[in-house]
Amino acid sequence: MKLKLSTSRGGVPLLCTSRIAPNTRATLLHTSSAIAATPLPFAAVGPPPSPPLPAATQYGERVDRRRRQAELLKRGQDLRASQMKPGSALKKRFWKDVNVITTPEGHHTVHLDTRPIRKPILPIPSSKPHLATAIALEWDLLVSAQQALKQHNIPLTSIAYRAYDISLQDRGQASGNARQELVMMLMRYLDTDTLLCWAPEKSHHDATQLEESEDRVNKSLRDIQIRVAQPIISYLTTYIWPGVEIKPVLDDGSIVPASQPQETRDIIRGWISGLGPWELAGLERAVLAGKSLCVAARLVVEWSENFRATGNVVEGAASKFGIEEAAQACSLEVRWQTGMWGEVEDSHDVEKEDLRRQFGSVILIVGGTS
């Protein structure tokens, strides 16, 4: 008995055991010659490859998955709220409808059924009906009273009451000095303003940038930062703080921020001190969200009804400065890095949307119909 390798009609090798006839061709396995692998040299040079981009189908599947997860979460919250004991009032929603009521004095107030949302009652100026409607919608989306204890669930309510507390202190009807504390806190951001922190000049150690300018020529991060910052600084030093000098807080290659000239600091401090309660609360929210006093001031002046009423807003002096422009100016370096290396899902995308949400609340607070 010998082992042989024969071929069928279809050309498929067959391994069989049989007696080999005298005139039969057979290939013995131990006589097959070995072929060595040929290694190829690794000659890859240049920058790393571009980050992978999700296909349209993958993006749609992710949105559908998150929508289903939100529906399941909402269903679970409703089920838990319906099973709560009668004594746990904070864990269930005790109101059915949220209404905006106009008082005889012309103010707007938000009520849960027939009760105000909080005490003291928040009087929203008559020129801010959109803010009152947004606050009502904010409370209508809550599924329990316990959610109202967390400020990130009611951002518009918290910033509106912040402005109301400042107005009470300004009139001497409440204790505290929130205005002076806010001025001191906001001035500290001027020395580390995101808009004024420019990266060093490009070196040969830097990776190639994927973002290109309008003329399709690669630019360094510092060039793009200067290009974005100059129109904002020009507007502020021409129409808001005339004659002041605003310089970058980081020199090329330095890691220690430099302070602005004392005259610049005095003018900006006086401007912040003279803001109304709603503008001051909006400026605080914008600075904390974007880490930039210059961008926050530009956004507040653009949308404030008080600046529009006094004629301090210059129509046609510059292009419209809104949520998207403010968010891009504050997150330029993050977009630069994610453009090269890609985004981290549920991290960069969440921060991007939250930044726009915060700037949107600022526009609602300072804006109005007057």
PDB file of all heavy atoms in Angstrom, residues 209-229:
ATOM      1  N   GLN A 209      -0.364  69.359   7.853  1.00  0.00           N
ATOM      2  CA  GLN A 209      -1.732  69.709   8.203  1.00  0.00           C
ATOM      3  C   GLN A 209      -2.677  69.321   7.077  1.00  0.00           C
ATOM      4  O   GLN A 209      -2.374  69.497   5.898  1.00  0.00           O
ATOM      5  CB  GLN A 209      -1.838  71.214   8.468  1.00  0.00           C
ATOM      6  CG  GLN A 209      -3.253  71.742   8.709  1.00  0.00           C
ATOM      7  CD  GLN A 209      -3.962  70.971   9.795  1.00  0.00           C
ATOM      8  OE1 GLN A 209      -4.869  70.225   9.484  1.00  0.00           O
ATOM      9  NE2 GLN A 209      -3.572  71.151  11.024  1.00  0.00           N
ATOM     10  N   LEU A 210      -3.837  68.796   7.489  1.00  0.00           N
ATOM     11  CA  LEU A 210      -4.809  68.372   6.493  1.00  0.00           C
ATOM     12  C   LEU A 210      -5.753  69.499   6.096  1.00  0.00           C
ATOM     13  O   LEU A 210      -6.376  69.434   5.052  1.00  0.00           O
ATOM     14  CB  LEU A 210      -5.625  67.190   7.041  1.00  0.00           C
ATOM     15  CG  LEU A 210      -4.793  65.965   7.437  1.00  0.00           C
ATOM     16  CD1 LEU A 210      -5.717  64.858   7.919  1.00  0.00           C
ATOM     17  CD2 LEU A 210      -3.956  65.489   6.279  1.00  0.00           C
ATOM     18  N   GLU A 211      -5.894  70.500   6.975  1.00  0.00           N
ATOM     19  CA  GLU A 211      -6.777  71.621   6.661  1.00  0.00           C
ATOM     20  C   GLU A 211      -6.050  72.609   5.760  1.00  0.00           C
ATOM     21  O   GLU A 211      -4.919  72.990   6.028  1.00  0.00           O
ATOM     22  CB  GLU A 211      -7.228  72.314   7.943  1.00  0.00           C
ATOM     23  CG  GLU A 211      -8.173  73.475   7.696  1.00  0.00           C
ATOM     24  CD  GLU A 211      -8.591  74.126   9.001  1.00  0.00           C
ATOM     25  OE1 GLU A 211      -8.345  73.519  10.049  1.00  0.00           O
ATOM     26  OE2 GLU A 211      -9.138  75.228   8.951  1.00  0.00           O
ATOM     27  N   GLU A 212      -6.699  73.025   4.685  1.00  0.00           N
ATOM     28  CA  GLU A 212      -6.086  73.931   3.733  1.00  0.00           C
ATOM     29  C   GLU A 212      -6.850  75.238   3.699  1.00  0.00           C
ATOM     30  O   GLU A 212      -8.036  75.299   3.975  1.00  0.00           O
ATOM     31  CB  GLU A 212      -6.065  73.304   2.341  1.00  0.00           C
ATOM     32  CG  GLU A 212      -5.194  72.043   2.263  1.00  0.00           C
ATOM     33  CD  GLU A 212      -5.180  71.477   0.854  1.00  0.00           C
ATOM     34  OE1 GLU A 212      -6.048  71.908   0.072  1.00  0.00           O
ATOM     35  OE2 GLU A 212      -4.339  70.624   0.568  1.00  0.00           O
ATOM     36  N   SER A 213      -6.175  76.288   3.346  1.00  0.00           N
ATOM     37  CA  SER A 213      -6.792  77.598   3.259  1.00  0.00           C
ATOM     38  C   SER A 213      -7.516  77.728   1.935  1.00  0.00           C
ATOM     39  O   SER A 213      -7.558  76.826   1.115  1.00  0.00           O
ATOM     40  CB  SER A 213      -5.723  78.690   3.412  1.00  0.00           C
ATOM     41  OG  SER A 213      -4.769  78.574   2.373  1.00  0.00           O
ATOM     42  N   GLU A 214      -8.102  78.918   1.717  1.00  0.00           N
ATOM     43  CA  GLU A 214      -8.905  79.121   0.518  1.00  0.00           C
ATOM     44  C   GLU A 214      -8.076  79.028  -0.754  1.00  0.00           C
ATOM     45  O   GLU A 214      -8.565  78.618  -1.800  1.00  0.00           O
ATOM     46  CB  GLU A 214      -9.602  80.480   0.609  1.00  0.00           C
ATOM     47  CG  GLU A 214     -10.573  80.576   1.795  1.00  0.00           C
ATOM     48  CD  GLU A 214     -11.199  81.946   1.875  1.00  0.00           C
ATOM     49  OE1 GLU A 214     -10.804  82.814   1.054  1.00  0.00           O
ATOM     50  OE2 GLU A 214     -12.060  82.155   2.734  1.00  0.00           O
ATOM     51  N   ASP A 215      -6.812  79.425  -0.700  1.00  0.00           N
ATOM     52  CA  ASP A 215      -5.971  79.360  -1.883  1.00  0.00           C
ATOM     53  C   ASP A 215      -5.288  78.005  -2.036  1.00  0.00           C
ATOM     54  O   ASP A 215      -4.360  77.860  -2.825  1.00  0.00           O
ATOM     55  CB  ASP A 215      -4.916  80.460  -1.852  1.00  0.00           C
ATOM     56  CG  ASP A 215      -4.079  80.400  -0.575  1.00  0.00           C
ATOM     57  OD1 ASP A 215      -4.368  79.566   0.299  1.00  0.00           O
ATOM     58  OD2 ASP A 215      -3.136  81.213  -0.475  1.00  0.00           O
ATOM     59  N   ARG A 216      -5.794  77.005  -1.246  1.00  0.00           N
ATOM     60  CA  ARG A 216      -5.322  75.628  -1.364  1.00  0.00           C
ATOM     61  C   ARG A 216      -3.847  75.463  -1.022  1.00  0.00           C
ATOM     62  O   ARG A 216      -3.177  74.550  -1.476  1.00  0.00           O
ATOM     63  CB  ARG A 216      -5.597  75.052  -2.752  1.00  0.00           C
ATOM     64  CG  ARG A 216      -6.989  75.280  -3.294  1.00  0.00           C
ATOM     65  CD  ARG A 216      -8.042  74.735  -2.371  1.00  0.00           C
ATOM     66  NE  ARG A 216      -7.938  73.284  -2.278  1.00  0.00           N
ATOM     67  CZ  ARG A 216      -8.674  72.547  -1.444  1.00  0.00           C
ATOM     68  NH1 ARG A 216      -9.504  73.138  -0.613  1.00  0.00           N
ATOM     69  NH2 ARG A 216      -8.553  71.231  -1.431  1.00  0.00           N
ATOM     70  N   VAL A 217      -3.304  76.337  -0.230  1.00  0.00           N
ATOM     71  CA  VAL A 217      -1.918  76.235   0.201  1.00  0.00           C
ATOM     72  C   VAL A 217      -1.918  75.872   1.685  1.00  0.00           C
ATOM     73  O   VAL A 217      -2.626  76.478   2.482  1.00  0.00           O
ATOM     74  CB  VAL A 217      -1.156  77.554  -0.028  1.00  0.00           C
ATOM     75  CG1 VAL A 217       0.270  77.448   0.494  1.00  0.00           C
ATOM     76  CG2 VAL A 217      -1.156  77.909  -1.504  1.00  0.00           C
ATOM     77  N   ASN A 218      -1.150  74.888   2.069  1.00  0.00           N
ATOM     78  CA  ASN A 218      -1.103  74.467   3.459  1.00  0.00           C
ATOM     79  C   ASN A 218      -0.602  75.606   4.344  1.00  0.00           C
ATOM     80  O   ASN A 218       0.376  76.265   4.031  1.00  0.00           O
ATOM     81  CB  ASN A 218      -0.196  73.247   3.615  1.00  0.00           C
ATOM     82  CG  ASN A 218      -0.824  72.005   3.028  1.00  0.00           C
ATOM     83  OD1 ASN A 218      -2.044  71.910   2.959  1.00  0.00           O
ATOM     84  ND2 ASN A 218      -0.009  71.065   2.613  1.00  0.00           N
ATOM     85  N   LYS A 219      -1.292  75.799   5.472  1.00  0.00           N
ATOM     86  CA  LYS A 219      -0.944  76.834   6.431  1.00  0.00           C
ATOM     87  C   LYS A 219      -0.634  76.182   7.766  1.00  0.00           C
ATOM     88  O   LYS A 219      -1.147  75.116   8.102  1.00  0.00           O
ATOM     89  CB  LYS A 219      -2.096  77.835   6.590  1.00  0.00           C
ATOM     90  CG  LYS A 219      -2.445  78.607   5.328  1.00  0.00           C
ATOM     91  CD  LYS A 219      -1.373  79.626   4.975  1.00  0.00           C
ATOM     92  CE  LYS A 219      -1.798  80.470   3.788  1.00  0.00           C
ATOM     93  NZ  LYS A 219      -0.787  81.464   3.425  1.00  0.00           N
ATOM     94  N   SER A 220       0.186  76.840   8.560  1.00  0.00           N
ATOM     95  CA  SER A 220       0.467  76.351   9.903  1.00  0.00           C
ATOM     96  C   SER A 220      -0.695  76.718  10.824  1.00  0.00           C
ATOM     97  O   SER A 220      -1.545  77.551  10.498  1.00  0.00           O
ATOM     98  CB  SER A 220       1.765  76.960  10.428  1.00  0.00           C
ATOM     99  OG  SER A 220       1.620  78.365  10.609  1.00  0.00           O
ATOM    100  N   LEU A 221      -0.703  76.094  12.010  1.00  0.00           N
ATOM    101  CA  LEU A 221      -1.756  76.395  12.980  1.00  0.00           C
ATOM    102  C   LEU A 221      -1.702  77.856  13.391  1.00  0.00           C
ATOM    103  O   LEU A 221      -2.744  78.499  13.556  1.00  0.00           O
ATOM    104  CB  LEU A 221      -1.600  75.477  14.197  1.00  0.00           C
ATOM    105  CG  LEU A 221      -2.540  75.739  15.377  1.00  0.00           C
ATOM    106  CD1 LEU A 221      -3.991  75.631  14.943  1.00  0.00           C
ATOM    107  CD2 LEU A 221      -2.236  74.769  16.514  1.00  0.00           C
ATOM    108  N   ARG A 222      -0.520  78.414  13.553  1.00  0.00           N
ATOM    109  CA  ARG A 222      -0.381  79.817  13.943  1.00  0.00           C
ATOM    110  C   ARG A 222      -0.979  80.741  12.876  1.00  0.00           C
ATOM    111  O   ARG A 222      -1.657  81.720  13.210  1.00  0.00           O
ATOM    112  CB  ARG A 222       1.087  80.148  14.181  1.00  0.00           C
ATOM    113  CG  ARG A 222       1.332  81.561  14.692  1.00  0.00           C
ATOM    114  CD  ARG A 222       2.818  81.842  14.846  1.00  0.00           C
ATOM    115  NE  ARG A 222       3.082  83.172  15.355  1.00  0.00           N
ATOM    116  CZ  ARG A 222       3.151  83.479  16.638  1.00  0.00           C
ATOM    117  NH1 ARG A 222       2.975  82.541  17.552  1.00  0.00           N
ATOM    118  NH2 ARG A 222       3.401  84.724  17.027  1.00  0.00           N
ATOM    119  N   ASP A 223      -0.751  80.433  11.605  1.00  0.00           N
ATOM    120  CA  ASP A 223      -1.308  81.265  10.529  1.00  0.00           C
ATOM    121  C   ASP A 223      -2.833  81.265  10.564  1.00  0.00           C
ATOM    122  O   ASP A 223      -3.478  82.313  10.390  1.00  0.00           O
ATOM    123  CB  ASP A 223      -0.814  80.762   9.174  1.00  0.00           C
ATOM    124  CG  ASP A 223       0.688  80.942   9.011  1.00  0.00           C
ATOM    125  OD1 ASP A 223       1.248  81.828   9.678  1.00  0.00           O
ATOM    126  OD2 ASP A 223       1.292  80.187   8.216  1.00  0.00           O
ATOM    127  N   ILE A 224      -3.422  80.108  10.791  1.00  0.00           N
ATOM    128  CA  ILE A 224      -4.884  80.029  10.825  1.00  0.00           C
ATOM    129  C   ILE A 224      -5.426  80.723  12.066  1.00  0.00           C
ATOM    130  O   ILE A 224      -6.467  81.400  12.015  1.00  0.00           O
ATOM    131  CB  ILE A 224      -5.328  78.555  10.776  1.00  0.00           C
ATOM    132  CG1 ILE A 224      -4.829  77.899   9.484  1.00  0.00           C
ATOM    133  CG2 ILE A 224      -6.834  78.438  10.860  1.00  0.00           C
ATOM    134  CD1 ILE A 224      -5.175  76.433   9.362  1.00  0.00           C
ATOM    135  N   GLN A 225      -4.741  80.601  13.200  1.00  0.00           N
ATOM    136  CA  GLN A 225      -5.185  81.292  14.410  1.00  0.00           C
ATOM    137  C   GLN A 225      -5.155  82.806  14.224  1.00  0.00           C
ATOM    138  O   GLN A 225      -6.091  83.506  14.638  1.00  0.00           O
ATOM    139  CB  GLN A 225      -4.291  80.884  15.587  1.00  0.00           C
ATOM    140  CG  GLN A 225      -4.535  79.474  16.095  1.00  0.00           C
ATOM    141  CD  GLN A 225      -3.549  79.074  17.167  1.00  0.00           C
ATOM    142  OE1 GLN A 225      -2.380  79.473  17.141  1.00  0.00           O
ATOM    143  NE2 GLN A 225      -4.001  78.278  18.127  1.00  0.00           N
ATOM    144  N   ILE A 226      -4.119  83.321  13.594  1.00  0.00           N
ATOM    145  CA  ILE A 226      -4.032  84.764  13.349  1.00  0.00           C
ATOM    146  C   ILE A 226      -5.128  85.208  12.384  1.00  0.00           C
ATOM    147  O   ILE A 226      -5.757  86.254  12.570  1.00  0.00           O
ATOM    148  CB  ILE A 226      -2.637  85.117  12.808  1.00  0.00           C
ATOM    149  CG1 ILE A 226      -1.571  84.850  13.873  1.00  0.00           C
ATOM    150  CG2 ILE A 226      -2.574  86.574  12.366  1.00  0.00           C
ATOM    151  CD1 ILE A 226      -0.154  85.055  13.393  1.00  0.00           C
ATOM    152  N   ARG A 227      -5.368  84.399  11.374  1.00  0.00           N
ATOM    153  CA  ARG A 227      -6.394  84.745  10.388  1.00  0.00           C
ATOM    154  C   ARG A 227      -7.784  84.805  11.023  1.00  0.00           C
ATOM    155  O   ARG A 227      -8.598  85.666  10.675  1.00  0.00           O
ATOM    156  CB  ARG A 227      -6.389  83.708   9.269  1.00  0.00           C
ATOM    157  CG  ARG A 227      -7.341  84.021   8.123  1.00  0.00           C
ATOM    158  CD  ARG A 227      -7.366  82.869   7.131  1.00  0.00           C
ATOM    159  NE  ARG A 227      -7.904  81.662   7.766  1.00  0.00           N
ATOM    160  CZ  ARG A 227      -7.851  80.454   7.210  1.00  0.00           C
ATOM    161  NH1 ARG A 227      -7.248  80.282   6.052  1.00  0.00           N
ATOM    162  NH2 ARG A 227      -8.379  79.407   7.817  1.00  0.00           N
ATOM    163  N   VAL A 228      -8.079  83.918  11.978  1.00  0.00           N
ATOM    164  CA  VAL A 228      -9.382  83.912  12.641  1.00  0.00           C
ATOM    165  C   VAL A 228      -9.474  85.023  13.684  1.00  0.00           C
ATOM    166  O   VAL A 228     -10.533  85.645  13.850  1.00  0.00           O
ATOM    167  CB  VAL A 228      -9.629  82.535  13.287  1.00  0.00           C
ATOM    168  CG1 VAL A 228     -10.887  82.548  14.143  1.00  0.00           C
ATOM    169  CG2 VAL A 228      -9.744  81.456  12.211  1.00  0.00           C
ATOM    170  N   ALA A 229      -8.369  85.306  14.387  1.00  0.00           N
ATOM    171  CA  ALA A 229      -8.411  86.263  15.492  1.00  0.00           C
ATOM    172  C   ALA A 229      -8.428  87.714  15.020  1.00  0.00           C
ATOM    173  O   ALA A 229      -9.041  88.567  15.683  1.00  0.00           O
ATOM    174  CB  ALA A 229      -7.216  86.037  16.419  1.00  0.00           C
TER     175      ALA A 229
END
